[in-house]
C-alpha cells in the first residue's frame, strides 16, 4: 500500500495535481466580481419587471389576466433570484467533469435558444414534430458550433450566440407586429433603411421576452461558473476547434447544399411567411429562405459576353405593330386572379352549364382581338411571379426553384415595361390591387419597377362590392375607370390592375353557385363555386370593355390569368381525362394554361396565338399599342418565334415539343443568351448594359 502511494506521488500528476483532478467544491463566495454580477442581474430584473408592471397597469386591455400576471411575476422573480444566487457561487470541479459539463452545455444552448426565440414569437412549437424540432435545433447548433470553434469558451459562446438569437427573436417579433411577416434573409440588404424608420414605432415588450432575457442571463452565469479555467495543451485546443468547425461545416452542407430541412418537413410558404414561420420555427424558416438568395450566373457570363449578346439584340429588326392608334393610347393591363378557361381545357370531358365565359369567347370569335393560350410558371398561388414575368420580361425559369422575385430580388430600381412607358413615352403609371399593399412586398417592388402610385384596398375611391368575401372584379374595374376619368390629360396613362375576387378557397357555403358541371352536377362544390366566380369575372370584363368601347380616345386592354386554382383532384381527373397522380408532362403543362386577350377600341390585326408564356406578353401589348420596345423586348419577340413558351416548369418549341426544366434541349445556347441578358437586367448592378433595357426616341 505504501509503495502504491509512493508511486502515485512520484507519478507525473503529483499529489497536488491528483487532488485538483478529483476536487469538487460548491460554496457561496462574496467576492467583488461576484457581487457586481449579482447586483447587475437584480438591477436588470427590477428594470425589466418595472417596465412590464407599468405597461400592465396603464394598458386599457392587458394581454394577461390578473392571475396570469401574478403567476408570471412569481416565476420571473424566482428565476431572477436563482440567477443572482448562481452569480455568488464558487464552483470547483474535476477537470474531466468540467469538460463533460461544458460539452453538454454546448449541446443544450441551441435548445434553449430555440425555445426562447419561438416562445417569444408565439409559434406552434408545442405541436412541432420531432423532425421539425430537430431541423430547428440543427440550425442553432451550427451557429453555436461555429462560435465555439472561434473562441473555445463555453461562456463566450453562450454570451455571443445567446445574445444574437435573443436580439433576433425580439426583433422578429416587432417586425411581425409592424409589417405582418417575419425577418427574411433579403431584409438584411435593407437594414440601413429599416433603422431610419424605426423611430416611428412603439415598442412594447412582452412577459415572455423578459423571462427569456433572464433565462439568457442564467445560462451565461451557469457557463461562467462551470468553466474550469484549466489551460489544456495546444493540441487539445486545436482538436476542439477542429471538431467544432467540422460540425459547423457539416451542418452547413446538410442545411444548404443538401437541403435536409425539406426532408424534415420544413418548407417555405412564400405567400404567407408569417404562418410558415409559425409552423416551421422562426430560425429554420429564416434559414430555409436563404437558398432562394443564391442565383447562379449563366454559363459563360461576363461583361464581354453581355456586350456581344446585346449587340446581336440591337441588330434584330423591330417587329411590326398590330395596332396603330392616332395618339398614345391609355394602356390597361388586367391580371385576373386564378383565371382560366376550364371549359376549353376540359373540352370533351366536361360541359359547363351555362358557358361561364360567354363574353370572353365572343371576343375570341370576333376576329378583332389578339388572343390565345398563355402559360404561367406557377400553380395555385404565387401570383407575384406572374406579375414579375409580365412586367419585366424576365422568366423565373432561370431563378432558383421557389424564388419570389418581388421579395428577394426586386430590392433596387429595375427596368421594366413600367419604366419604359414612364421614361420614354411619358406615361403616368398606376398599380391597383384590392388587397393589402404589403402582400408579396408589392409596396416596395412596384416602386422599384417604376410605378408612380399604388392603390391598395385601403385607398379605393369607389364602393367595393364583395364576392365570397373578397373585392369583386367589377369593383376593381370601377376603380380603373375612376382613375381613367380623373387622369392628368397632359400625360398618357398606364394602369396595371391585379384582381383578387377568384382567390381560393372555394368553400363558402353561403355563396350561390350559378355554373354546374353537366356530367356530375353538385359533385364538385369547390370547382362549381370557382366556375361561378369566373362567370362573374366574365360579366365584369364585359362591363369594362363596354365602357371603354364608348371612349373616343384610344384605349388598349390586355387581360390574362395568373395561374390555375387549386380544386378537387377528382374534378381535375375528370376534366383532364387521365389520372392526375401519374400524368404525362404535356398533360401537366395543361394545368399551367391561362387565357389572354388584347382588345382595343381601335383596329387591331386580330390573331390567335396558340401558345405564349407570360414573359412575352409585354412585347405583344406594346405592339398592340403601336409602341416600340427596347432591344431586350425585341430580343424576346424574336425568341418567341422559336421558343413560344419558357416557364419555370419547362420549355416548348415552335413545333410543340416539350422539354422539362433542367432537361437538355437543342436550344440551350439560345436559352443561355436569354439567361445572360436577364441576369444582367436583374443583377447587373453597375455593369448593367442599360442601352439594351432602355429606349431613346430620336
Amino acid at each position: 500500500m505504501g509503495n502504491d502511494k509512493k508511486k502515485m506521488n512520484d507519478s507525473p500528476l503529483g499529489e497536488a495535481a491528483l487532488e485538483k483532478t478529483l476536487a469538487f467544491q460548491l460554496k457561496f463566495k462574496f467576492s467583488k466580481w461576484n457581487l457586481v454580477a449579482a447586483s447587475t442581474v437584480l438591477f436588470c430584473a427590477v428594470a425589466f419587471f418595472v417596465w412590464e408592471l407599468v405597461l400592465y397597469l396603464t394598458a386599457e386591455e392587458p394581454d394577461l389576466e390578473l392571475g396570469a400576471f401574478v403567476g408570471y411575476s412569481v416565476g420571473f422573480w424566482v428565476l431572477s433570484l436563482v440567477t443572482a444566487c448562481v452569480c455568488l457561487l464558487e464552483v470547483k470541479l474535476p477537470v474531466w467533469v468540467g469538460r463533460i459539463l461544458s460539452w453538454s452545455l454546448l449541446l443544450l444552448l441551441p435548445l434553449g435558444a430555440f425555445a426562447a426565440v419561438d416562445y417569444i414569437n408565439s409559434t406552434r412549437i408545442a405541436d412541432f414534430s420531432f423532425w421539425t424540432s430537430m431541423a430547428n435545433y440543427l440550425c442553432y447548433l451550427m451557429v453555436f458550433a461555429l462560435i465555439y470553434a472561434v473562441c473555445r469558451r463555453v461562456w463566450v459562446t453562450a454570451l455571443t450566440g445567446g445574445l444574437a438569437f435573443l436580439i433576433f427573436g425580439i426583433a422578429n417579433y416587432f417586425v411581425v407586429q409592424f409589417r405582418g411577416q417575419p425577418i427574411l434573409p433579403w431584409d438584411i440588404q435593407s437594414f440601413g433603411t429599416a433603422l431610419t424608420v424605426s423611430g416611428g414605432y412603439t415598442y412594447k415588450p412582452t412577459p415572455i421576452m423578459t423571462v427569456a432575457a433572464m433565462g439568457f442571463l442564467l445560462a451565461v452565469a451557469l457557463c461562467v461558473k462551470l468553466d474550469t479555467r484549466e489551460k489544456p495543451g495546444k493540441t487539445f485546443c486545436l482538436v476542439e476547434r477542429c471538431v467544432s468547425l467540422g460540425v459547423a461545416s457539416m451542418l452547413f452542407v446538410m442545411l444548404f447544399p443538401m437541403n435536409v430541412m425539406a426532408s424534415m418537413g420544413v418548407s417555405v410558404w412564400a405567400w404567407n411567411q408569417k404562418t410558415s414561420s409559425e409552423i416551421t420555427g422562426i430560425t429554420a424558416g429564416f434559414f430555409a429562405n436563404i437558398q432562394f438568395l443564391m442565383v447562379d450566373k449563366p454559363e459563360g457570363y461576363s461583361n464581354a459576353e453581355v456586350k456581344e449578346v446585346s449587340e446581336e439584340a440591337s441588330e434584330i429588326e423591330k417587329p411590326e405593330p398590330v395596332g396603330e392608334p392616332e395618339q398614345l393610347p391609355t394602356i390597361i393591363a388586367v391580371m385576373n386572379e386564378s383565371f382560366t378557361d376550364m371549359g376549353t381545357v376540359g373540352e370533351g370531358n366536361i360541359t359547363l352549364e351555362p358557358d361561364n365565359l360567354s363574353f370572353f369567347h365572343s371576343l375570341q370569335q370576333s376576329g378583332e382581338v389578339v388572343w390565345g393560350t398563355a402559360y404561367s410558371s406557377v400553380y395555385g398561388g404565387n401570383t407575384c411571379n406572374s406579375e414579375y414575368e409580365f412586367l419585366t420580361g424576365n422568366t423565373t425559369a432561370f431563378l432558383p426553384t421557389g424564388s419570389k422575385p418581388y421579395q428577394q430580388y426586386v430590392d433596387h430600381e429595375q427596368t421594366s415595361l413600367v419604366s419604359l412607358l414612364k421614361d420614354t413615352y411619358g406615361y403616368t403609371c398606376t398599380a391597383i390591387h384590392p388587397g393589402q399593399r404589403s402582400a408579396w412586398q408589392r409596396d416596395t417592388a412596384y416602386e422599384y419597377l417604376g410605378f408612380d402610385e399604388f392603390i391598395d384596398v385601403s385607398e379605393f375611391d369607389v364602393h367595393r362590392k364583395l364576392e365570397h368575401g373578397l373585392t369583386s372584379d367589377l369593383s376593381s374595374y370601377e376603380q380603373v375607370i375612376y382613375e381613367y376619368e380623373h387622369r392628368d390629360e397632359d400625360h398618357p396613362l398606364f394602369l396595371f390592375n391585379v384582381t383578387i375576387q377568384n382567390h381560393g378557397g372555394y368553400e363558402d357555403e353561403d355563396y350561390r353557385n350559378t355554373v354546374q358541371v353537366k356530367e356530375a352536377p353538385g359533385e364538385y362544390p369547390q370547382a362549381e363555386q370557382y366556375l361561378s366566380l369566373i362567370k362573374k369575372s366574365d360579366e365584369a370584363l364585359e362591363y369594362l370593355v363596354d365602357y371603354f368601347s364608348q371612349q373616343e380616345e384610344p384605349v388598349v386592354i390586355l387581360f390574362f390569368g395568373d395561374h390555375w386554382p387549386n380544386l378537387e383532384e377528382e374534378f381535375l381527373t375528370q376534366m383532364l381525362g387521365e389520372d392526375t397522380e401519374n400524368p404525362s408532362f404535356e398533360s401537366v403543362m395543361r394545368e399551367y394554361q391561362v387565357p389572354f386577350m388584347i382588345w382595343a377600341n381601335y383596329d387591331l390585326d386580330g390573331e390567335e396565338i396558340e401558345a405564349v408564356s407570360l414573359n412575352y406578353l409585354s412585347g405583344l401589348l406594346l405592339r398592340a399599342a403601336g409602341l416600340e420596345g427596347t432591344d431586350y423586348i425585341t430580343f424576346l419577340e424574336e425568341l418567341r418565334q422559336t421558343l413560344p413558351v419558357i416557364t419555370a416548369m419547362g420549355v416548348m418549341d415552335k413545333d410543340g415539343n416539350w422539354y422539362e426544366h433542367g432537361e437538355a434541349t437543342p436550344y440551350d445556347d439560345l436559352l443561355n443568351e436569354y439567361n445572360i441578358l436577364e441576369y444582367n437586367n436583374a443583377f447587373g448592378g453597375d455593369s448593367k448594359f442599360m442601352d439594351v433595357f432602355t429606349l431613346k426616341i430620336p
Side-chain angles (χ1 to χ4, degrees):
M1 184 69 179
N3 290 336
D4 292 340
K5 185 175 181 179
K6 184 176 185 302
K7 289 179 181 179
M8 291 179 68
N9 289 334
D10 293 339
S11 70
L13 284 173
E15 187 173 355
L18 182 61
E19 289 178 357
K20 182 178 179 181
T21 303
L22 300 176
F24 180 90
Q25 190 177 45
L26 178 64
K27 65 179 182 180
F28 284 106
K29 183 178 180 180
F30 299 95
S31 65
K32 175 183 175 181
W33 290 113
N34 283 2
L35 288 171
V36 168
S39 299
T40 302
V41 167
L42 292 176
F43 176 81
C44 291
V46 171
F48 290 157
F49 185 75
V50 168
W51 194 358
E52 281 292 341
L53 183 61
V54 170
L55 291 173
Y56 181 81
L57 294 176
T58 57
E60 293 183 3
E61 295 183 7
D63 296 331
L64 296 177
E65 298 291 338
L66 179 59
F69 186 79
V70 171
Y72 149 72
S73 302
V74 172
F76 175 80
W77 279 109
V78 168
L79 182 61
S80 301
L81 293 173
V82 168
T83 305
C85 289
V86 169
C87 291
L88 295 173
L89 286 177
E90 180 180 15
V91 181
K92 291 184 179 180
L93 298 172
V95 173
W96 64 273
V97 173
R99 287 176 179 170
I100 291 175
L101 286 176
S102 295
W103 295 332
S104 300
L105 283 171
L106 278 176
L107 296 176
L108 289 174
L109 287 172
L111 188 61
F114 168 34
V117 170
D118 277 57
Y119 275 113
I120 286 173
N121 286 274
S122 301
T123 66
R124 305 171 194 177
I125 185 172
D127 298 324
F128 285 0
S129 68
F130 170 79
W131 290 112
T132 299
S133 299
M134 179 58 71
N136 279 272
Y137 176 78
L138 294 179
C139 293
Y140 288 93
L141 180 61
M142 177 183 69
V143 175
F144 278 100
L146 180 61
I147 295 172
Y148 188 76
V150 174
C151 66
R152 210 198 66 76
R153 283 292 186 185
V154 177
W155 72 268
V156 176
T157 303
L159 178 64
T160 307
L163 184 60
F165 280 117
L166 182 63
I167 292 173
F168 171 71
I170 294 174
N172 189 83
Y173 171 86
F174 286 118
V175 168
V176 170
Q177 302 307 306
F178 300 148
R179 75 176 187 186
Q181 65 177 5
I183 295 174
L184 300 168
W186 38 94
D187 291 330
I188 296 172
Q189 302 174 53
S190 56
F191 179 71
T193 302
L195 287 178
T196 63
V197 300
S198 60
Y201 297 106
T202 300
Y203 300 90
K204 178 184 176 182
T206 65
I208 293 180
M209 288 182 191
T210 57
V211 170
M214 195 53 62
F216 161 68
L217 292 178
L218 175 59
V220 174
L222 282 172
C223 291
V224 170
K225 294 302 177 180
L226 293 177
D227 188 352
T228 59
R229 296 174 178 79
E230 46 89 18
K231 296 181 179 180
K234 292 183 179 180
T235 301
F236 184 84
C237 291
L238 181 62
V239 169
E240 269 198 312
R241 292 182 190 274
C242 289
V243 170
S244 297
L245 185 60
V247 169
S249 302
M250 179 187 67
L251 290 174
F252 179 86
V253 172
M254 291 172 60
L255 294 173
F256 297 113
M258 294 177 62
N259 192 21
V260 296
M261 285 195 290
S263 61
M264 291 178 162
V266 174
S267 59
V268 174
W269 295 4
W271 66 95
N272 191 342
Q273 292 277 5
K274 180 177 181 293
T275 301
S276 179
S277 65
E278 289 174 356
I279 64 177
T280 63
I282 301 299
T283 299
F286 180 89
F287 283 171
N289 274 289
I290 288 178
Q291 61 182 306
F292 302 139
L293 285 172
M294 305 171 186
V295 182
D296 295 329
K297 288 185 178 181
E299 182 180 352
Y301 183 85
S302 66
N303 287 344
E305 189 67 20
V306 175
K307 182 178 180 181
E308 181 178 340
V309 177
S310 298
E311 289 175 349
E312 292 175 1
S314 68
E315 296 172 359
I316 300 174
E317 184 178 352
K318 298 291 183 179
E320 293 294 324
V322 296
E324 297 187 60
E326 295 181 356
Q327 63 187 69
L328 292 174
T330 294
I331 300 176
I332 300 171
V334 176
M335 192 177 79
N336 196 275
E337 171 67 39
S338 301
F339 185 93
T340 194
D341 190 350
M342 294 287 187
T344 300
V345 176
E347 187 176 5
N349 297 315
I350 63 169
T351 306
L352 304 184
E353 291 186 334
D355 179 5
N356 69 333
L357 284 173
S358 57
F359 177 71
F360 193 86
H361 292 154
S362 70
L363 289 177
Q364 293 174 337
Q365 295 163 9
S366 70
E368 299 174 352
V369 298
V370 178
W371 68 281
T373 299
Y375 284 81
S376 172
S377 288
V378 292
Y379 177 92
N382 300 331
T383 297
C384 62
N385 285 22
S386 297
E387 292 183 42
Y388 176 79
E389 290 189 327
F390 162 63
L391 291 172
T392 65
N394 298 336
T395 174
T396 55
F398 301 140
L399 300 176
T401 300
S403 293
K404 303 298 174 290
Y406 274 10
Q407 294 180 299
Q408 298 159 239
Y409 315 127
V410 185
D411 55 3
H412 58 282
E413 289 187 5
Q414 298 201 5
T415 50
S416 65
L417 171 64
V418 188
S419 62
L420 170 65
L421 293 174
K422 179 179 176 179
D423 298 338
T424 302
Y425 297 104
Y427 275 76
T428 297
C429 301
T430 299
I432 302 171
H433 175 58
Q436 298 297 325
R437 66 188 305 103
S438 61
W440 294 120
Q441 292 186 215
R442 287 187 178 94
D443 50 348
T444 55
Y446 283 168
E447 183 177 354
Y448 287 131
L449 292 173
F451 281 105
D452 298 293
E453 184 180 12
F454 174 27
I455 299 170
D456 74 340
V457 65
S458 68
E459 298 180 353
F460 262 46
D461 299 284
V462 302
H463 173 70
R464 291 188 306 113
K465 180 183 176 182
L466 304 183
E467 292 288 347
H468 90 128
L470 298 170
T471 303
S472 67
D473 284 1
L474 181 61
S475 295
S476 281
Y477 301 156
E478 287 177 337
Q479 183 65 36
V480 168
I481 292 170
Y482 179 91
E483 294 299 322
Y484 174 77
E485 292 179 342
H486 293 80
R487 70 192 184 281
D488 179 357
E489 297 189 7
D490 292 333
H491 297 277
L493 178 65
F494 171 54
L495 291 169
F496 178 51
N497 177 212
V498 179
T499 71
I500 200 173
Q501 170 188 291
N502 305 323
H503 197 287
Y506 311 104
E507 300 173 349
D508 186 348
E509 296 180 356
D510 297 327
Y511 192 83
R512 187 175 69 87
N513 293 343
T514 58
V515 179
Q516 285 189 328
V517 179
K518 181 179 179 180
E519 291 77 9
E523 290 188 22
Y524 311 120
Q526 293 182 39
E528 291 186 345
Q529 185 168 127
Y530 165 77
L531 295 166
S532 300
L533 287 166
I534 294 300
K535 187 174 186 299
K536 287 285 188 181
S537 294
D538 188 62
E539 295 168 357
L541 178 62
E542 183 175 10
Y543 169 82
L544 182 70
V545 170
D546 181 64
Y547 173 85
F548 283 107
S549 66
Q550 301 174 41
Q551 306 306 309
E552 294 183 0
E553 296 184 355
V555 178
V556 60
I557 299 174
L558 165 66
F559 181 95
F560 65 100
D562 60 349
H563 56 69
W564 267 39
N566 191 20
L567 301 173
E568 299 100 333
E569 285 294 325
E570 297 80 7
F571 169 73
L572 297 178
T573 298
Q574 179 163 344
M575 183 182 65
L576 297 174
E578 62 177 87
D579 184 359
T580 55
E581 293 185 1
N582 297 290
S584 64
F585 183 68
E586 184 175 355
S587 184
V588 166
M589 291 310 300
R590 292 167 66 191
E591 299 180 41
Y592 291 82
Q593 292 179 0
V594 291
F596 84 95
M597 175 272 300
I598 302 176
W599 171 92
N601 63 354
Y602 52 86
D603 291 339
L604 291 180
D605 296 332
E607 178 186 7
E608 178 185 359
I609 299 177
E610 293 185 0
V612 63
S613 46
L614 300 184
N615 56 309
Y616 294 125
L617 290 185
S618 58
L620 289 173
L621 177 58
L622 286 171
R623 291 177 62 194
L627 301 178
E628 182 181 341
T630 63
D631 289 344
Y632 185 47
I633 293 175
T634 301
F635 171 86
L636 293 178
E637 275 292 281
E638 178 79 4
L639 179 63
R640 183 172 67 85
Q641 310 310 312
T642 303
L643 296 171
V645 176
I646 300 175
T647 73
M649 293 294 293
V651 173
M652 187 183 79
D653 66 18
K654 61 184 178 181
D655 298 318
N657 300 310
W658 281 101
Y659 303 91
E660 295 185 43
H661 180 69
E663 179 183 354
T665 78
Y667 312 99
D668 283 352
D669 290 342
L670 190 56
L671 286 168
N672 196 56
E673 288 184 358
Y674 181 15
N675 195 357
I676 287 172
L677 286 179
E678 175 174 321
Y679 188 90
N680 187 252
N681 186 22
F683 309 107
D686 294 336
S687 300
K688 183 173 179 176
F689 280 67
M690 293 300 295
D691 287 349
V692 76
F693 304 111
T694 56
L695 178 66
K696 295 181 180 179
I697 301 296

